């Protein structure tokens, strides 16, 4: 881990905009030094607002406080926070070349020309953009722009790296490639990072811990594994993947859910319930079956069985008890977690 | 390819007619009239040899240049402020700022006299404060004031149009990299506004070079070139002189704008 990595602590941070919109309810969050946190949630839930408060682009409401390594940064301006930021729109300076963009923060910090040159070469090599150093920004592809934006943000050796949906503007295959590159980069650098996305697979791939947000609140904080397999409520369960409501295990206090891949197709004698196949989506490595079991919502089941399922067939389903997700039905309103 | 030619010709025709009728024919005549005086083609030399002409030309250039600089500085600050800040009465203020656009030079001159003339507000206030009555409406300073007054709205409108297109994330990125507010202005905002600023400076400069009404109303002690042309034409009946001065005025203004444009071209080119 990077010895200079910074820990972050937010206490009681809320945000009410001038027009009265309460984008964030008061929340607490701790990020360990060197950790990669992903803020995940639907559009408008306040991810960007939270990131901007941490960056210092927005002030938190009265009463909120922000600490970097126990140092109170609440009233410190963004330019003094020594952060690196990557924007969804890249925000590269159009009046500067690739190289000038990358060294901009170093020039501001008045590094010696020699040190600047050395850092520039290091960044160009790390991001594999040596050949682009003298290009203008409008001569770059989207993926290349994203690399330059990353290089520019990490060139200053920031205490904290903030990324707001950096891959959203790219096409799917490039997104996958850059995602693993960013993942490796964050591992290697060991900088404390906060990454915003509304894409659950991106969150799973990158995060040490995921912070799931909804309507200005933090709903759950946990490792990708925890969030996926032990969601706190129905919202989280649905947001990070598909879930089905179990048709037979039913109880007014608990909601019993299971994920499509946790259902097994078994012999009729071993099944918990029977269902009719409504449609089959063959995906190569697996098939997704849409089932009707007399319940108002259809049930989705993923199977890797090498069997040619046909619409109209009736099959038996079994879900192992430890794979069931049980949620208290009254839990939704008190779901917001308090972290100390 | 050939079937396209008739259509292309039709499209070019209106432009060609306008260009010929309103530009080439009168200009050519003007150039020749300039050479028909008793001194022949040496009339074009007079701008350098006749000290009154030369003086008038230099005064006009200096005036227009300083009006441009001051107007651009004031308008950039005001324009950016108006783009960035929402406050009560902002829309009315903006529409009032553009009010002088409709005024002819005479009205501008009249306004200058009202504020800096012998009975003017500025004189009244300065008398009360310092005991001296400041009257500068009838000097080059009055002219300067009038020109700045009618230049500012034009530049403000351009700055506001460019300022609204400024991407906020660029400034935020610069700040995140440690740039102070002044460095953000210098490295991000000014370069982004530059094309607009150059275009509006050019218009501002050209308008100041050719403005007549204000100078005529104020009847200042120093003649700007359009006034000199007017004097030659009406009072001295020196038609050839007036024509040659007009051509020179046009050429000098065009040259200044050309230089400004090419300067801006080189400085926005990619740097290594
Ligand atoms: N400057 C602002 N003034 C008023 N309301 C705002 C402002 N910025 C954001 N909001 C509101 O605050 C809420 C949270 O916005 P935010 O941008 O943080 O959402 P987000 O989670 O980043 O969404 P997305 O995934 O769409 O980017 C939204 O309801 C939004 O409309
Ligand atoms: Mg956002």
């Amino acid at each position: 881990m990077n010895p200079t990595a910074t820990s972050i602590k937010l206490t009681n941070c809320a945000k009410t905009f001038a027009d009265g919109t309460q984008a964030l309810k008061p929340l607490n969050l701790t990020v360990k030094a060197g950790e990669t946190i992903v803020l995940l949630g639907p559009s408008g839930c306040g991810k960007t607002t939270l990131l901007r408060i941490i960056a210092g682009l927005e002030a938190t409401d009265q009463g909120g406080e922000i600490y970097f390594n126990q140092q109170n940064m609440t009233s410190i301006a963004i330019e003094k926070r020594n952060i690196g930021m990557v924007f969804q729109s890249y925000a590269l300076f159009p009046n500067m070349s690739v190289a000038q963009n990358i060294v901009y923060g170093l020039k501001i910090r008045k590094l010696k020309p020699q040190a600047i040159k050395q850092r520039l070469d290091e960044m160009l090599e790390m991001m594999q953009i040596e050949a682009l150093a003298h290009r203008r920004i409008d001569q770059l592809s989207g993926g290349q722009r994203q690399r330059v934006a990353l290089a520019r943000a990490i060139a200053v050796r920031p205490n904290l790296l903030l990324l707001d949906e950096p891959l959203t503007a790219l096409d799917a295959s490039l997104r996958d490639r850059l995602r693993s590159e960013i993942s490796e980069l964050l591992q290697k650098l060991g900088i404390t990072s906060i990454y915003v996305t509304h894409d659950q697979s991106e969150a799973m791939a990158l995060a040490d811990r995921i912070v799931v947000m909804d309507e200005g609140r933090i709903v759950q904080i946990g490792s990708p594994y925890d969030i996926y397999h032990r969601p706190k409520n129905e919202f989280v369960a649905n947001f990070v993947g598909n879930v089905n409501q179990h048709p037979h295990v039913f109880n007014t206090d608990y909601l019993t859910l299971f994920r499509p891949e946790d259902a097994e197709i078994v012999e009729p004698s071993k099944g918990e319930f029977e269902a009719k196949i409504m449609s089959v989506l063959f995906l190569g490595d697996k098939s997704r079956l849409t089932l009707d079991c007399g319940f108002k919502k259809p049930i989705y089941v993923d199977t890797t069985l090498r069997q040619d399922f046909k619409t109209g067939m009736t099959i038996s389903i079994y879900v192992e008890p430890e794979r069931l997700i049980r949620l208290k039905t009254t839990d939704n309103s008190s779901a917001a977690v308090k972290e100390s | 390819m050939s079937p396209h030619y008739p259509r292309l010709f039709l499209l070019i025709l209106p432009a060609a007619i306008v260009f010929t009728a309103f530009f080439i024919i009168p200009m050519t005549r003007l150039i020749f009239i300039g050479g028909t005086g008793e001194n022949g083609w040496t009339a074009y030399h007079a701008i350098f040899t006749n000290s009154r002409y030369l003086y008038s030309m230099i005064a006009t250039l200096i005036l227009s240049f300083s009006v441009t600089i001051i107007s651009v500085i004031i308008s950039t600050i005001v324009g950016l402020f108006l783009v960035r800040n929402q406050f009560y009465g902002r829309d009315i203020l903006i529409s009032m700022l553009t009010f002088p656009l409709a005024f002819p030079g005479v009205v501008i001159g009249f306004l200058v006299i009202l504020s800096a003339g012998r009975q003017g507000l500025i004189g009244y206030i300065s008398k009360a404060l310092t005991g001296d009555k400041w009257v500068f409406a009838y000097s080059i300073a009055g002219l300067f004031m009038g020109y700045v007054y009618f230049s500012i709205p034009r530049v403000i409108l351009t700055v506001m149009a460019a300022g609204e297109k400024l991407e906020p994330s660029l400034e935020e990125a610069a700040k995140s990299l440690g740039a102070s507010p002044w460095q953000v202005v210098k490295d991000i905002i000014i370069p982004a506004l530059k094309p607009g600023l150059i275009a509006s400076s050019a218009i501002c400069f050209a308008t100041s070079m050719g403005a007549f009404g204000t100078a005529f109303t104020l009847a200042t002690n120093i003649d700007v070139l359009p006034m000199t042309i007017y004097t030659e034409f009406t009072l001295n009946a020196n038609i050839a002189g007036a024509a040659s001065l007009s051509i020179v005025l046009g050429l000098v203004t065009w040259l200044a704008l050309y230089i400004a444009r090419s300067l801006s071209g080189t400085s926005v080119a990619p740097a290594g």
Side-chain angles (χ1 to χ4, degrees):
Chain A
M1 198 215 290
N2 188 333
T4 62
T6 307
S7 66
I8 312 290
K9 191 167 133 193
L10 306 186
T11 56
N12 216 17
C13 285
K15 181 71 196 179
T16 311
F17 284 108
D19 65 356
T21 314
Q22 194 178 20
L24 287 182
K25 312 265 166 28
L27 58 81
N28 301 314
L29 178 67
T30 311
V31 184
K32 296 189 209 88
E35 193 179 26
T36 300
I37 285 279
V38 173
L39 305 181
L40 176 69
S43 184
C45 71
K47 307 179 295 290
T48 298
T49 307
L50 180 54
L51 195 77
R52 290 171 64 85
I53 285 179
I54 297 170
L57 287 168
E58 305 280 0
T60 125
D61 289 353
Q62 196 65 38
E65 283 181 343
I66 301 161
Y67 295 86
F68 286 13
N69 277 346
Q70 285 88 47
Q71 192 189 344
N72 191 335
M73 303 294 275
T74 316
S75 53
I76 305 282
I78 175 171
E79 60 263 30
K80 303 265 162 57
R81 290 192 185 188
N82 193 35
I83 55 165
M85 231 180 149
V86 178
F87 295 80
Q88 185 177 342
S89 58
Y90 316 120
L92 296 173
F93 308 131
N95 53 318
M96 302 180 197
S97 68
V98 166
Q100 287 171 326
N101 264 277
I102 295 176
V103 302
Y104 184 75
L106 305 176
K107 289 228 165 111
I108 296 278
R109 284 164 176 71
K110 298 207 165 59
L111 261 68
K112 296 212 172 62
Q114 215 180 350
I116 291 182
K117 175 81 176 66
Q118 196 182 347
R119 191 82 63 84
L120 172 65
D121 291 341
E122 189 188 319
M123 287 301 133
L124 290 171
E125 196 199 322
M126 184 187 284
M127 302 311 297
Q128 297 159 28
I129 46 175
E130 292 100 326
L132 308 175
H134 300 294
R135 291 257 189 107
R136 281 207 318 267
I137 299 308
D138 58 15
Q139 298 168 321
L140 302 180
S141 72
Q144 291 167 336
R145 284 177 205 208
Q146 199 47 269
R147 281 165 210 258
V148 177
L150 261 169
R152 183 180 68 177
I154 58 182
V156 298
R157 307 245 159 103
N159 290 331
L160 171 65
L161 185 62
L162 303 171
L163 308 102
D164 192 357
E165 310 215 18
L167 303 180
T168 309
L170 305 173
D171 65 59
S173 66
L174 191 58
R175 199 154 59 215
D176 285 351
R177 212 171 69 219
L178 268 169
R179 183 176 73 196
S180 38
E181 279 182 28
I182 290 180
S183 173
E184 269 173 42
L185 189 72
L186 295 182
Q187 295 282 333
K188 191 165 81 186
L189 296 174
I191 311 179
T192 313
S193 333
I194 303 180
Y195 187 109
V196 166
T197 183
H198 58 246
D199 180 322
Q200 51 99 5
S201 57
E202 219 167 279
M204 298 279 169
L206 289 167
D208 291 325
R209 283 192 303 154
I210 296 177
V211 175
V212 185
M213 297 180 63
D214 186 30
E215 294 181 348
R217 285 196 182 87
I218 293 178
V219 186
Q220 186 172 0
I221 303 177
S223 68
Y225 187 91
D226 269 355
I227 298 280
Y228 192 77
H229 293 295
R230 286 190 278 275
K232 264 238 165 76
N233 61 20
E234 210 180 345
F235 168 80
V236 177
N238 270 306
F239 198 79
V240 297
N242 290 293
V243 277
N244 301 298
Q245 195 161 338
H246 199 291
H248 287 185
V249 186
F250 197 74
N251 177 315
T252 44
D253 293 337
Y254 285 98
L255 201 59
T256 307
L257 309 172
F258 63 94
R259 299 216 175 268
E261 68 274 20
D262 289 333
E264 290 173 63
I265 299 167
V266 292
E267 288 167 25
S269 61
K270 291 182 184 153
E272 284 177 278
F273 59 91
E274 295 205 327
K276 202 165 115 193
I277 301 179
M278 306 294 291
S279 67
V280 181
L281 186 64
F282 180 63
L283 296 165
D285 57 338
K286 64 180 182 196
S287 302
R288 165 154 297 191
L289 312 178
T290 308
L291 308 177
D292 177 13
C293 56
F295 211 61
K296 50 186 183 300
K297 275 193 260 175
I299 283 188
Y300 299 99
V301 166
D302 286 350
T303 176
T304 53
L305 291 176
R306 296 230 176 151
Q307 193 180 332
D308 193 8
F309 293 104
K310 289 272 185 284
T311 308
M313 282 168 67
T314 299
I315 53 174
S316 298
I317 302 294
Y318 173 75
V319 188
E320 277 195 42
E322 62 266 30
R323 299 209 165 188
L324 292 173
I325 300 168
R326 285 182 2 131
L327 300 172
K328 262 214 165 87
T329 44
T330 51
D331 210 29
N332 284 10
S333 57
S334 60
V337 285
K338 282 255 156 65
E339 218 201 32
S340 48
Chain B
M1 279 300 171
S2 55
H4 289 296
Y5 281 133
R7 210 178 63 193
L8 199 61
F9 179 74
L10 272 181
L11 287 174
I12 285 176
L13 197 60
I17 290 173
V18 169
F19 193 63
T20 314
F22 295 100
F23 190 78
I24 296 190
I25 297 177
M27 274 304 186
T28 320
R29 280 214 64 194
L30 197 62
I31 291 171
F32 279 104
I33 291 172
T36 56
E38 50 196 58
N39 301 326
W41 291 104
T42 54
Y44 284 97
H45 248 229
I47 189 82
F48 300 111
T49 53
N50 181 323
S51 65
R52 195 164 60 86
Y53 291 175
L54 186 62
Y55 191 56
S56 168
M57 175 54 111
I58 291 173
T60 313
L61 275 172
I62 293 175
L63 176 68
S64 304
F65 192 71
S66 37
V67 164
T68 306
I69 299 286
I70 295 297
S71 305
V72 166
I73 292 173
I74 294 177
S75 311
T76 306
I77 296 168
V78 175
L80 281 179
F81 177 84
L82 288 173
V83 168
R84 297 292 160 101
N85 294 283
Q86 290 292 336
F87 51 87
Y88 185 75
R90 174 180 176 269
D91 293 342
I92 292 184
L93 187 65
I94 290 173
S95 54
M96 274 177 35
L97 274 171
T98 57
F99 207 65
L101 282 176
F103 287 160
V106 186
V107 178
I108 308 271
F110 184 51
L111 291 174
V112 172
I113 292 173
L114 282 182
S115 50
R118 275 180 276 278
Q119 311 298 328
L121 195 64
I122 294 176
Y124 181 76
I125 294 171
S126 66
K127 176 115 192 190
L129 291 179
T130 65
D132 262 347
K133 194 169 182 181
W134 295 351
V135 174
F136 56 84
Y138 317 102
S139 71
I140 198 107
L143 212 50
F144 177 80
M145 183 176 156
Y147 282 18
V148 168
Y149 179 67
F150 74 63
S151 297
I152 281 178
R154 288 159 225 265
V155 189
I156 284 187
L157 290 182
T158 327
V159 169
M160 286 184 67
E164 261 150 25
K165 275 189 261 156
L166 269 181
E167 215 194 305
S169 65
L170 289 183
E171 288 168 48
E172 293 175 353
K175 280 197 240 164
S176 76
L177 291 164
S180 66
W182 164 241
Q183 284 167 322
V184 172
V185 170
K186 178 171 71 76
D187 297 334
I188 311 301
I189 296 180
I190 303 267
L193 294 182
K194 204 163 155 189
L197 288 183
I198 285 167
S200 51
S201 315
I203 290 179
C204 181
F205 181 79
T207 318
S208 304
M209 285 295 287
F212 172 72
T214 314
F216 188 73
T217 314
L218 295 179
T220 49
N221 45 7
I222 297 169
D223 273 350
V224 288
L225 205 53
M227 271 305 283
T228 310
I229 295 173
Y230 175 79
T231 315
E232 288 306 315
F233 188 65
T234 55
L235 302 182
N236 303 346
N238 178 2
I239 294 174
S244 61
L245 282 179
S246 306
I247 293 291
V248 171
L249 174 65
L251 273 180
V252 169
T253 309
W254 174 80
L255 190 71
L257 298 185
Y258 182 81
I259 292 171
R261 242 206 341 256
S262 46
L263 277 184
S264 71
T266 52
S267 52
V268 291

